[in-house]
Amino acid sequence: MQTEPKKSLVGEEYEVEVGPVAHGGHCIARTDEGQVLFVRHALPGERVIARVTDGEEGARFLRTDAVEILTPSKDRVEAPCPFSGPGKCGGCDWQHAAPGAQRRLKAEVITEQLSRLAGLTPEEARWDGTVEPAPGDKVPKGEVPAWRTRVQYAIDPEGRVGLRKHRSHDIQPVDHCLIAAPGVSELGIEKRDWPQIATVEAIAATGSNDRQVVLTPRPGGRLPIVELDKPVSVLRVHEKDGGIHRVHGRPFVRERAADRTWRVGNSGFWQVHPKAADLLVEAVMQGLMPKKGDMALDLYCGVGLFAGALADRVGDKGAVLGIESSKRAVEDARHNLQDLDRVRIEHGKVETILPRTGISDVDLIVLDPPRAGAGRQTVAHLASLGARRIAYVACDPAALARDVKYFAGEGYVPRRMRAFDLFPVTHHVECVVILERAAKGF
């Protein structure tokens, strides 16, 4: 017997009191009937009209936008960006919140995730409960810092530049992205049309004048002649294999951090905030306190940022092993650290490569896993190596909290935790937790 399709509630509106912030850039509210709403573009304590953007009758929750603010929060500001708001660009979650309020909201999310998934209070996590702004990011109320050194533009069928709407393939045309770093904006990508192109990724390196665009043509599309306002290297995503190929210029950009220059090729991973790499290296090294002669691991090592910082500190009698799954990143890491004989970089997945190394004990571990986290099996293996301290760098509070709980089950507890606002006006936040073996009787 076929069941009747459930009625879509998209477009329905509810007047609600907005409750606490939740992970993901929205707040929680309930209708008079008890239906849970995820409300974007709202702030805790506000009374709003929430319009459903996704959901049907009987759903556990409905996704909504606050389309009218009846009682505004004292933390509300007018969004500086004209492309921010219900039904517009989905890139920024908190344009409508004052800078200090954004950091408090992120701190509330971290606190909630630690409590719910790890069973820890901020005090037990050895965290002071604050989210620290990056140097230079404190701006007046109603302004946003221009921090994003890598921007992925979407191109509509007419060739106009835009950004994706929230949870959608639809495109919001834009003529300027406020959070784009000056090195991205100066290229003038938004000023021109991009016929036959699906996406344009713009990269502005920190510490060098390297600029790069990575073009993804539409199926069967031809590559245009690229003439931008500044010198730029051009790469393209190949239609058949998805690989990235050089068109002209260098196939990499040179980044600067931790007193080194880093080659990052083919649009490879690098922190998007210009201050992030140095800030995270400092937090990790202060927490680990490496000693001469230490044996250290840098897992999910990318182009070798933490491996290089560790190698400088463990000295000639120490050793560092980095493991990374991206073949191009491994090539870059080996190039970047070729002057350090005590560093070895292996290509492959951490859970596959690490057991094959035969390493049974180490002094220090750094892990900076993908958004999904390291997982129970990897955590158990790392704990078995008996490291004096482990530095966990995380861009997702939920994955971090889950893995911290797994570490606790293996006898490791937080010694110190810090949180950094490296993604202003979005819901994203970066955390660094230093773990060590629990004292007996903890």
Side-chain angles (χ1 to χ4, degrees):
M1 187 173 97
Q2 286 188 330
T3 58
E4 287 290 321
K6 293 183 179 179
K7 178 186 174 184
S8 170
L9 295 177
V10 172
E12 293 289 320
E13 294 185 352
Y14 302 91
E15 182 177 330
V16 293
E17 186 94 16
V18 179
V21 66
H23 185 28
H26 52 256
C27 297
I28 303 294
R30 288 181 183 272
T31 67
D32 292 340
E33 294 75 32
Q35 173 69 62
V36 175
L37 306 182
F38 289 173
V39 190
R40 281 177 62 80
H41 310 293
L43 293 171
E46 294 186 326
R47 191 154 192 89
V48 306
I49 302 297
R51 181 181 297 157
V52 179
T53 58
D54 185 22
E56 56 190 18
E57 282 185 341
R60 238 172 10 99
F61 60 84
L62 305 175
R63 297 186 184 276
T64 69
D65 278 340
V67 294
E68 186 178 350
I69 311 302
L70 305 176
T71 308
S73 163
K74 62 179 176 55
D75 292 322
R76 176 172 285 276
V77 298
E78 184 175 349
C81 178
F83 309 112
S84 175
K88 299 180 182 179
C89 171
C92 295
D93 308 292
W94 301 120
Q95 287 262 358
H96 58 285
Q102 295 174 35
R103 293 190 287 273
R104 291 196 301 275
L105 292 169
K106 295 183 186 191
E108 289 172 20
V109 169
I110 296 169
T111 299
E112 191 270 339
Q113 296 295 303
L114 285 172
S115 173
R116 186 166 64 86
L117 298 175
L120 296 175
T121 64
E123 292 77 18
E124 290 168 333
R126 305 296 192 265
W127 174 46
D128 66 6
T130 65
V131 174
E132 306 171 39
D137 271 3
K138 285 193 173 181
V139 295
K141 193 173 182 178
E143 295 184 19
V144 298
W147 56 271
R148 193 171 186 92
T149 59
R150 292 170 177 238
V151 177
Q152 177 101 8
Y153 294 98
I155 311 300
D156 72 12
E158 285 72 48
R160 295 176 302 177
V161 173
L163 296 164
R164 300 282 182 195
K165 298 182 179 182
H166 182 60
R167 292 175 59 85
S168 172
H169 293 295
D170 294 342
I171 296 171
Q172 167 67 59
V174 302
D175 56 21
H176 179 56
C177 175
L178 285 184
I179 66 171
V184 170
S185 297
E186 70 185 14
L187 294 177
I189 287 170
E190 300 105 330
K191 296 178 185 177
R192 60 164 291 170
D193 291 335
W194 296 86
Q196 303 187 62
I197 297 296
T199 66
V200 177
E201 181 182 12
I203 300 169
T206 301
S208 80
N209 290 322
D210 292 351
R211 304 290 182 261
Q212 187 178 86
V213 294
V214 184
L215 307 180
T216 304
R218 293 186 180 278
R222 296 175 58 119
L223 215 61
I225 296 173
V226 178
E227 294 180 349
L228 293 173
D229 294 352
K230 295 286 182 179
V232 65
S233 298
V234 179
L235 282 66
R236 69 168 290 171
V237 178
H238 199 276
E239 183 178 340
K240 291 184 178 178
D241 61 11
I244 298 177
H245 302 267
R246 183 179 71 89
V247 178
H248 69 75
R250 293 190 185 98
F252 58 85
V253 295
R254 295 164 298 178
E255 302 281 359
R256 186 74 186 169
D259 297 322
R260 278 181 172 269
T261 297
W262 305 88
R263 187 182 81 180
V264 184
N266 286 11
S267 182
F269 175 78
W270 186 261
Q271 291 286 343
V272 294
H273 193 292
K275 301 294 179 60
D278 278 325
L279 203 56
L280 294 174
V281 166
E282 179 188 29
V284 167
M285 296 305 137
Q286 284 181 351
L288 289 180
M289 294 190 291
K291 299 176 182 177
K292 298 295 184 184
D294 275 344
M295 165 60 191
L297 298 177
D298 179 11
L299 308 179
Y300 316 94
C301 72
V303 299
L305 177 66
F306 294 115
L310 285 165
D312 288 340
R313 290 160 175 80
V314 302
D316 291 338
K317 294 183 179 179
V320 180
L321 171 66
I323 300 177
E324 167 58 43
S325 61
S326 164
K327 185 177 180 181
R328 178 57 201 250
V330 167
E331 292 172 1
D332 286 338
R334 289 171 178 167
H335 169 85
N336 293 332
L337 304 174
Q338 61 186 315
D339 60 312
L340 297 170
D341 293 340
R342 53 191 174 275
V343 178
R344 188 169 99 246
I345 307 294
E346 294 287 350
H347 172 231
K349 294 183 177 180
V350 168
E351 60 270 26
T352 303
I353 298 299
L354 189 55
R356 292 180 184 171
T357 64
I359 293 172
S360 58
D361 64 279
V362 298
D363 298 298
L364 302 172
I365 299 173
V366 180
L367 66 155
D368 185 3
R371 188 170 299 280
R376 188 192 296 270
Q377 183 178 348
T378 297
V379 165
H381 188 173
L382 298 184
S384 74
L385 301 179
R388 183 172 74 247
R389 285 186 182 162
I390 299 172
Y392 191 125
V393 182
C395 61
D396 184 85
L400 172 67
R402 284 192 294 268
D403 282 348
V404 165
K405 184 175 182 179
Y406 297 150
F407 272 114
E410 302 292 339
Y412 278 86
V413 296
R415 182 182 188 275
R416 189 185 185 193
M417 174 174 164
R418 295 174 71 185
F420 300 98
D421 191 14
L422 301 181
F423 312 90
V425 298
T426 79
H427 74 272
H428 299 289
V429 61
E430 197 88 9
C431 296
V432 175
V433 178
I434 307 298
L435 300 152
E436 64 181 11
R437 285 220 176 269
K440 291 182 179 180
F442 178 83

